[in-house]
Amino acid sequence: MTNESSSNNSVGYNPPKGSTARIDWASRDGKSEEIEVIAEWIVLRKKEKPSAEIFNTYYRLVQPQNSKNGIRRAITFVLNGGPGAASAYLHLGGLGPQRVCFNKDGSKLPPPAKLTNNTESWIEFTDLVFIDPVGTGFSRVVESDALAPASVSAAQKDTSDKSKVTDEKEYYGLNRDLESLGEFIERFLSKYKLWDVPVYIAGESYGGFRTAKLARRLQEKHGIGLSAVIAISPALEWALLNDGDYDVLRSVDTFCSMALGAAFHGRSRVFKKGDSIEKMRPTIESFATKELAHALMVGTAHEPAELEKVFCKTADFLGLPEQMVKRAHGRIPFWRFSRELLRDQQRIVSWYDATLTTIDPYPDREMNEAPDPSLVGDEHIFESGINQLLRARIGVETERRYESLNLEVYTVWKRDDSKHAFDGPAGSVDDLRYAMSLNPEMKVLIVHGYYDMITPYFSSERLVEQMKLLPESRRNLTLKYFSGGHMFYTWEESRIAFRDYCRNYYE
């Protein structure tokens, strides 16, 4: 194992040292490979001065496979979302050569977190770069005293201005974040001389939003032609993230995932427990887009008897009391469904995976104050696992805390695109459509877990049908769904199916 330093172009500036190691990996099919892993910081610049240090983990085969038809092995840049989430979730959940252990159904094991060889890693068919945006992982802005000339004494540095060259919050914005990621990818390709390899980008949740935006930006502003964009549980349009009394779409989208969740727990009064998703989906989606959508759209202008019929049917799908649904005029937000579905068992279901449950510690309180069994419940597993991997196995030496989920970033995230107050919420589908026109050969894969109530699968299903793609473009866009929730890849069967599908997709 050796230490490496990132490129240094400023006198007196010493970027953090990375580390290189070799690990063995074995696939489920019996293949084995020796992998070189480089964990390091790449420095971003502002006015020719270092401004931020982006940490990343780069996996490549020691003996790469022979190129096919003269084309070298693909590279995939991987992002998580939040905003404020590091790449540890996709890194250790499903894509990297090592993963943290879960039960087969995605539920967590007792601590401590355990690392194991990930037989479903994508390293089999692509090199991987896991990126931690500024403020996440070990990525930080550069402090001003780090740029002091080498001749300045330690005592002088201690008394110097400790302010940062760039305020971290500058990077906590929609456009600046995309700019920094574009700069990182461009610098990475140049550093490792990879401008002649197929480039893929993959992102989860807000990372899926990023990939759709980057699909256009990387090609327009950085000269990077993309082979494919993979959006995992994406939040493609911000307008669809909020519940409200004056719109229909969010309620329709989340209804589909909630109805499947109710059926999973045996609470649906429309389906029998054990009915297949393929059997239930047409009935659920037809009701959601026709009867329910119409009732929500016209409100009290609807015929009262018909309105009551729709509300009763909604309650049957969701396994909730009819009076509760009538009182809510058919609009049951996911957070209420989470609390009420299994209230008689004093359990709540996860917003991110409606199959997972936890005990409600405060059943008598009006507001739900229980930890989400997926988001909060899994946090310590990924945090422990990524520290084991980076510090103990790869040998990264730093006193920085690895920020797997930085809530400060999420809290202060802003629009920085100079939009008028009357302009609508941010979206990425327009950018994706533009990118597909710019590069007609680029493939797009959108994947979801059926039981995710935060970024429900039906949102993407609807949005794709609104993109007005020509048949030849539509053939390049694929929707694929798996059992599980937001991080469906923590389910063993879904992780295997996802890997198998993507292996064929890349090939």
Side-chain angles (χ1 to χ4, degrees), residues 409-421:
V409 176
Y410 177 84
T411 301
V412 304
W413 200 260
K414 61 184 181 298
R415 290 286 297 269
D416 57 352
D417 47 2
S418 303
K419 293 292 185 181
H420 189 273

Side-chain angles (χ1 to χ4, degrees), residues 59 73-76 122-128 198 200 506:
Y59 294 95
R73 182 173 157 88
I75 190 164
T76 303
W122 290 17
I123 194 65
E124 179 182 349
F125 46 84
T126 178
D127 291 347
L128 295 161
Y200 291 65
Y506 273 69

Side-chain angles (χ1 to χ4, degrees), residues 281-327:
R281 268 189 64 189
T283 303
I284 292 171
E285 292 168 10
S286 177
F287 173 76
T289 54
K290 296 174 183 175
E291 297 168 72
L292 179 61
H294 179 67
L296 297 179
M297 181 175 64
V298 301
T300 53
H302 204 300
E303 176 65 34
E306 288 300 313
L307 200 61
E308 179 167 353
K309 189 183 299 182
V310 172
F311 293 164
C312 289
K313 199 169 181 180
T314 301
D316 289 341
F317 273 107
L318 299 183
L320 298 176
E322 290 182 1
Q323 285 305 315
M324 178 187 298
V325 177
K326 291 177 183 178
R327 196 163 52 245

Side-chain angles (χ1 to χ4, degrees), residues 1-162:
M1 182 161 50
T2 59
N3 283 333
E4 289 188 348
S5 185
S6 301
S7 59
N8 178 3
N9 297 322
S10 293
V11 175
Y13 171 60
N14 292 307
K17 290 183 178 180
S19 185
T20 301
R22 291 192 175 188
I23 60 174
D24 293 321
W25 171 79
S27 75
R28 181 174 293 275
D29 303 329
K31 297 178 183 177
S32 60
E33 300 283 358
E34 186 179 14
I35 299 167
E36 182 179 48
V37 52
I38 303 170
E40 63 173 358
W41 289 262
I42 281 185
V43 178
L44 307 186
R45 310 183 77 79
K46 182 179 180 181
K47 297 181 179 178
E48 299 306 315
K49 291 184 178 181
S51 62
E53 299 154 348
I54 297 266
F55 184 78
N56 69 100
T57 311
Y58 174 29
Y59 294 95
R60 60 187 180 185
L61 299 186
V62 172
Q63 294 182 321
Q65 303 155 350
N66 294 329
S67 62
K68 291 185 178 181
N69 302 319
I71 299 174
R72 294 170 62 190
R73 182 173 157 88
I75 190 164
T76 303
F77 293 93
V78 184
L79 294 154
N80 269 91
S87 61
Y89 303 92
L90 285 173
H91 190 167
L92 293 184
L95 275 59
Q98 297 275 304
R99 66 174 176 85
V100 288
C101 296
F102 285 87
N103 289 312
K104 288 186 177 183
D105 63 355
S107 58
K108 59 181 179 293
L109 294 165
K114 300 176 181 65
L115 284 176
T116 188
N117 173 71
N118 181 18
T119 54
E120 291 78 49
S121 174
W122 290 17
I123 194 65
E124 179 182 349
F125 46 84
T126 178
D127 291 347
L128 295 161
V129 184
F130 295 94
I131 308 171
D132 296 335
V134 177
T136 73
F138 292 141
S139 300
R140 304 286 189 273
V141 298
V142 176
E143 296 187 359
S144 59
D145 63 338
L147 301 181
S151 59
V152 175
S153 68
Q156 288 174 307
K157 285 185 180 181
D158 286 342
T159 58
S160 64
D161 179 12
K162 293 289 187 181

Side-chain angles (χ1 to χ4, degrees), residues 158-463:
D158 286 342
T159 58
S160 64
D161 179 12
K162 293 289 187 181
S163 65
K164 295 179 170 66
V165 175
T166 304
D167 187 341
E168 278 176 317
K169 292 181 181 179
E170 176 184 315
Y171 287 93
Y172 302 167
L174 189 155
N175 269 336
R176 188 69 182 97
D177 171 68
L178 295 171
E179 289 171 1
S180 68
L181 294 171
E183 182 184 350
F184 168 86
I185 293 173
E186 183 177 343
R187 288 183 178 277
F188 187 96
L189 294 176
S190 295
K191 177 175 181 177
Y192 290 102
K193 300 177 176 56
L194 296 172
W195 283 90
D196 60 339
V197 306
V199 176
Y200 291 65
I201 54 174
E204 179 184 64
S205 194
Y206 187 80
F209 176 89
R210 282 168 164 149
T211 59
K213 301 286 275 188
L214 285 169
R216 177 175 181 173
R217 179 180 288 269
L218 289 175
Q219 298 182 110
E220 269 194 321
K221 298 183 180 297
H222 299 278
I224 300 170
L226 295 175
S227 295
V229 174
I230 302 171
I232 302 165
S233 304
L236 295 173
E237 295 287 315
W238 288 8
L240 300 177
L241 295 178
N242 297 313
D243 293 304
D245 289 342
Y246 311 110
D247 197 7
V248 173
L249 298 179
R250 175 66 177 177
S251 295
V252 167
D253 293 344
T254 53
F255 171 84
C256 295
S257 292
M258 291 189 297
L260 289 175
F264 178 88
H265 290 288
R267 295 303 176 99
S268 172
R269 298 189 288 274
V270 177
F271 305 108
K272 299 191 299 287
K273 187 172 184 178
D275 282 349
S276 70
I277 291 176
E278 290 73 20
K279 175 184 177 180
M280 294 186 287
R281 268 189 64 189
T283 303
I284 292 171
E285 292 168 10
S286 177
F287 173 76
T289 54
K290 296 174 183 175
E291 297 168 72
L292 179 61
H294 179 67
L296 297 179
M297 181 175 64
V298 301
T300 53
H302 204 300
E303 176 65 34
E306 288 300 313
L307 200 61
E308 179 167 353
K309 189 183 299 182
V310 172
F311 293 164
C312 289
K313 199 169 181 180
T314 301
D316 289 341
F317 273 107
L318 299 183
L320 298 176
E322 290 182 1
Q323 285 305 315
M324 178 187 298
V325 177
K326 291 177 183 178
R327 196 163 52 245
H329 281 256
R331 296 179 185 271
I332 300 295
F334 65 87
W335 47 266
R336 180 170 293 159
F337 173 83
S338 167
R339 186 89 184 283
E340 298 297 335
L341 182 68
L342 302 177
R343 180 183 277 275
D344 60 331
Q345 298 178 7
Q346 197 179 322
R347 302 191 73 85
I348 65 164
V349 302
S350 170
W351 298 358
Y352 294 84
D353 184 342
T355 70
L356 300 178
T357 70
T358 193
I359 297 169
D360 186 349
Y362 313 113
D364 54 327
R365 297 185 185 178
E366 184 175 351
M367 300 299 295
N368 176 21
E369 299 178 38
D372 188 276
S374 180
L375 179 67
V376 179
D378 293 349
E379 185 67 17
H380 70 87
I381 298 173
F382 286 100
E383 188 119 6
S384 175
I386 197 68
N387 279 286
Q388 289 179 50
L389 176 66
L390 296 176
R391 299 182 192 273
R393 301 196 180 186
I394 300 175
V396 176
E397 295 184 6
T398 179
E399 294 183 0
R400 295 180 183 180
R401 183 182 189 279
Y402 190 91
E403 297 283 357
S404 58
L405 187 61
N406 189 340
L407 294 179
E408 180 190 356
V409 176
Y410 177 84
T411 301
V412 304
W413 200 260
K414 61 184 181 298
R415 290 286 297 269
D416 57 352
D417 47 2
S418 303
K419 293 292 185 181
H420 189 273
F422 290 164
D423 289 333
S428 64
V429 177
D430 269 4
D431 294 280
L432 187 59
R433 291 166 69 178
Y434 187 96
M436 294 179 73
S437 177
L438 187 67
N439 178 0
E441 299 303 316
M442 184 184 75
K443 305 293 191 294
V444 177
L445 174 61
I446 300 174
V447 294
H448 283 271
Y450 281 118
Y451 300 105
D452 180 6
M453 298 188 291
I454 296 296
T455 56
Y457 79 91
F458 199 63
S459 290
S460 293
E461 183 87 15
R462 283 190 313 91
L463 289 170

